[in-house]
Amino acid sequence: MRLTMADETLFALLHMEMISHAHKSAGLDDEDQGKHIRILEGMGFRVGQGLIERLAKDSPSFKDDLDTVKFICKDFWTVVFKKQIDNLRTNHQGTYVLQDNRFLLLTQISCSKQYLEEAPKFLAYTCGLIKGGLSNLGISCTVSAEVPVMPTCKFLFLYTAQLCGRNPLKCTHEVPFNF
């Protein structure tokens, strides 16, 4: 499953159109804007579930949570975004931060600070992708994203505490990929 330049462009255009449609269908108040974010996350969740099902069917079972997250960072991310995650951090207690220094879906937007407030709507679908993929691998978590500087993006996910019995803390350890 190798993306060509045309596939990458079509994916970016489709993503922009999904955001535009969700944004136009939502009202002007904060509740409606939250609804459009949830719609985009839900779409990403379903796609993430289906995609991970196809990718993981030929993979050996994962020995632990970190092994599963590395699969997301390498294989899953490469299929969707044509590159691996640039950095993975964890506290080994259920908190993971994935950093993409040149996130494909933000490279189409100007790198000026005025667009930082617009960035969350471009990240909702991807948060859903991650959450759906992990869900299908048996990991229940919450996923959020932040943009410290355009087009760098950090995706933070925390295992749902009641399901895994962990207490997520601040991320402090960097995990080597050994590619």
Side-chain angles (χ1 to χ4, degrees):
M1 283 205 285
R2 208 184 102 180
L3 288 176
T4 65
M5 186 62 141
D7 293 338
E8 185 178 321
T9 302
L10 289 174
F11 176 66
L13 290 172
L14 175 63
H15 183 258
M16 291 281 212
E17 193 57 36
M18 289 185 329
I19 291 168
S20 175
H21 176 72
H23 187 68
K24 286 177 185 174
S25 65
L28 298 176
D29 64 357
D30 288 340
E31 185 177 313
D32 286 341
Q33 292 304 313
K35 180 182 176 185
H36 105 268
I37 295 292
R38 286 189 305 277
I39 288 169
L40 290 168
E41 284 179 353
M43 291 168 62
F45 185 88
R46 179 61 195 111
V47 171
Q49 283 183 315
L51 187 56
I52 207 75
E53 195 171 298
R54 288 179 50 198
L55 289 173
K57 72 178 181 182
D58 296 328
S59 299
S61 60
F62 305 109
K63 61 182 178 191
D64 59 11
D65 300 338
L66 184 57
D67 203 29
T68 305
V69 173
K70 285 182 179 182
F71 178 79
I72 294 289
C73 293
K74 293 178 184 179
D75 299 299
F76 185 78
W77 212 260
T78 300
V79 167
V80 178
F81 298 110
K82 205 175 167 183
K83 67 183 281 287
Q84 295 178 353
I85 282 288
D86 295 310
N87 193 357
L88 167 64
R89 291 182 172 267
T90 184
N91 66 355
H92 299 288
Q93 295 181 354
T95 303
Y96 294 90
V97 178
L98 285 62
Q99 181 172 325
D100 190 332
N101 293 329
R102 190 156 166 72
F103 185 56
L104 174 70
L105 300 176
L106 292 179
T107 57
Q108 309 299 322
I109 305 170
S110 172
C111 290
S112 67
K113 288 184 180 182
Q114 75 186 50
Y115 292 102
L116 276 176
E117 66 188 42
E118 296 292 320
K121 66 183 178 185
F122 291 94
L123 305 174
Y125 180 79
T126 306
C127 287
L129 275 174
I130 295 168
K131 189 172 181 177
L134 288 170
S135 169
N136 227 17
L137 295 174
I139 297 174
S140 179
C141 62
T142 59
V143 179
S144 61
E146 68 176 45
V147 179
V149 177
M150 295 284 264
T152 298
C153 184
K154 292 182 179 182
F155 294 93
L156 168 72
F157 58 93
L158 308 166
Y159 286 103
T160 306
Q162 71 231 28
L163 294 177
C164 66
R166 296 183 182 153
N167 181 20
L169 302 172
K170 186 176 179 182
C171 294
T172 55
H173 303 289
E174 191 163 331
V175 178
F177 272 130
N178 299 327
F179 293 128

